[in-house]
Amino acid sequence: NTGTRNRVPPLEGLNSVDWLDNASVMELGDVPEHLVIMGGGFIGVEFGQLFRRLGARVTIVEGGEKILGREDADVIEGVHQVLTEDGIDVRTGAFAKRVAPDAKGVCLTVELQGTDGQTAEIRGSHLMVAIGRRPNSDDLGLEAAGIGTDDHGFIRVDDELRTNVEGVWGLGDVNGGPPFTHVAYDDFRIVRNNILGAGGASRAGRPAPYTLFTDPQLGRIGMTESQAREAGHEIRVAKLPMGRVARAIEMDETRGFMKAVVDADTDQILGAAVLGVEGGEVASVIQVAMMGKLPWTALRDGVFSHPTLSESLNNLFMTLD
């Protein structure tokens, strides 16, 4: 596991300004007056809300049509609403073209999508680049060892995390899997069992949970609604606003909603998104049910302590009745 480093964009003038990535931004001694963030993915959104809560003015600039582009439209809309309510300026469809020093810091020029090349200038005190990561594999001498990589520099591995060279394994961020600590830790489990244990450990069929650590959180497990439809499943969708969750009302944080996607033929839960207070913890309860192959009715009829967030799973799945 060699880790990753920031992906540097081919942005005109980038070398003329001092810019930050998600590591260097944590070393700041002062809160930026106006932090401009390139990238509306997990890193950009989390750091954007963090620095807004610390008192900075924050603008998130995303070249695509939406932030968090892999999520369902209603989830994206919910997160977008949270950010704007917190006072964050979110600019989508704004593709960064060049950056230059400015009297107050930096000036980012963006091309507005769908406007025949029209541009706009966004000025701030600091620029953070959060457009993704790339693996630290370019200085390992992989070619000399004959280890294969893909077009992005990630080491190719099979589901048991073997490379194409006997006795060499690839785990963590360097193998191109989901870039999360918990996934890298599970990669270790697989390699440990395959080298020191009985063997046969594989990442095939492994659930891919993740949590967007905004406030409130977005907890995700399994397929999105869009992915389930694209995969050909006949689905039913359960949805419950956090305003109907007793614990959320008690905690005075009712923004967001819970959403679960189930297979209409098998009653198996295919995935869930929980945008709400402690959304990652609630999504983990649904994940355990998925791992145990419980039907959605088991959570509808389960007995959970009151008042906990998990008891709202009764009401979430009751929406399918």
Side-chain angles (χ1 to χ4, degrees):
N1 180 10
T2 67
T4 59
R5 61 181 180 273
N6 196 71
R7 182 180 295 132
V8 181
L11 184 64
E12 180 184 341
L14 187 64
N15 293 331
S16 67
V17 301
D18 293 327
W19 57 275
L20 307 164
D21 62 11
N22 60 313
S24 57
V25 74
M26 296 299 291
E27 300 298 325
L28 290 175
D30 299 298
V31 176
E33 177 183 348
H34 181 188
L35 179 63
V36 178
I37 300 176
M38 283 179 55
F42 274 28
I43 294 175
V45 169
E46 288 180 346
F47 275 91
Q49 191 185 55
L50 165 66
F51 277 94
R52 180 59 188 149
R53 296 287 177 92
L54 292 174
R57 180 183 170 193
V58 175
T59 300
I60 297 175
V61 181
E62 168 58 42
E65 295 181 358
K66 301 175 182 178
I67 59 172
L68 304 177
R70 296 181 180 179
E71 304 295 337
D72 284 329
D74 54 352
V75 174
I76 294 172
E77 181 180 352
V79 175
H80 193 289
Q81 182 176 344
V82 167
L83 296 178
T84 54
E85 287 176 354
D86 281 3
I88 297 172
D89 183 11
V90 180
R91 310 275 188 97
T92 57
F95 187 79
K97 300 294 289 184
R98 59 183 174 273
V99 64
D102 183 75
K104 292 187 176 182
V106 296
C107 176
L108 180 67
T109 301
V110 298
E111 181 177 310
L112 305 177
Q113 304 301 304
T115 62
D116 294 327
Q118 181 179 342
T119 61
E121 293 182 343
I122 301 172
R123 289 179 165 80
S125 61
H126 295 72
L127 175 68
M128 177 180 175
V129 175
I131 63 167
R133 310 289 292 175
R134 64 189 183 95
N136 292 329
S137 60
D138 51 355
D139 58 356
L140 295 180
L142 298 179
E143 292 182 0
I147 297 173
T149 60
D150 65 15
D151 293 339
H152 300 286
F154 292 106
I155 294 175
R156 296 184 186 274
V157 295
D158 62 15
D159 283 339
E160 294 187 354
L161 304 187
R162 291 182 173 88
T163 69
N164 61 303
V165 176
E166 181 67 26
V168 181
W169 310 70
L171 64 157
D173 295 344
V174 76
N175 68 23
F180 304 120
T181 302
H182 52 277
V183 172
Y185 186 79
D186 192 61
D187 280 0
F188 154 73
R189 174 192 65 83
I190 293 170
V191 173
R192 178 199 62 197
N193 289 348
N194 288 335
I195 295 177
L196 301 177
S202 171
R203 64 180 179 179
R206 177 174 65 181
Y210 51 90
T211 300
L212 176 67
F213 286 99
T214 49
D215 183 19
Q217 297 174 4
L218 169 62
R220 281 276 296 107
I221 177 63
M223 293 182 175
T224 65
E225 178 182 351
S226 300
Q227 289 170 340
R229 294 188 189 280
E230 290 172 2
H233 291 277
E234 291 291 330
I235 66 171
R236 302 178 68 192
V237 179
K239 197 168 183 180
L240 183 75
M242 293 301 291
R244 289 177 54 191
V245 176
R247 185 63 173 171
I249 296 172
E250 291 176 349
M251 298 177 71
D252 196 27
E253 178 54 277
T254 58
R255 295 186 293 179
F257 56 87
M258 298 181 179
K259 176 181 178 180
V261 181
V262 304
D263 189 293
D265 298 322
T266 66
D267 286 342
Q268 293 292 300
I269 304 170
L270 300 175
V274 183
L275 175 60
V277 58
E278 296 296 342
E281 300 290 349
V282 180
S284 294
V285 177
I286 300 176
Q287 177 184 343
V288 172
M290 293 170 63
M291 292 167 62
K293 300 189 183 304
L294 296 178
W296 62 266
T297 51
L299 293 181
R300 180 199 63 187
D301 300 335
V303 180
F304 302 96
S305 297
H306 173 82
T308 63
L309 291 162
S310 296
E311 73 166 339
S312 60
L313 295 175
N314 293 151
N315 293 340
L316 170 64
F317 287 103
M318 281 181 186
T319 64
L320 295 179
D321 289 337

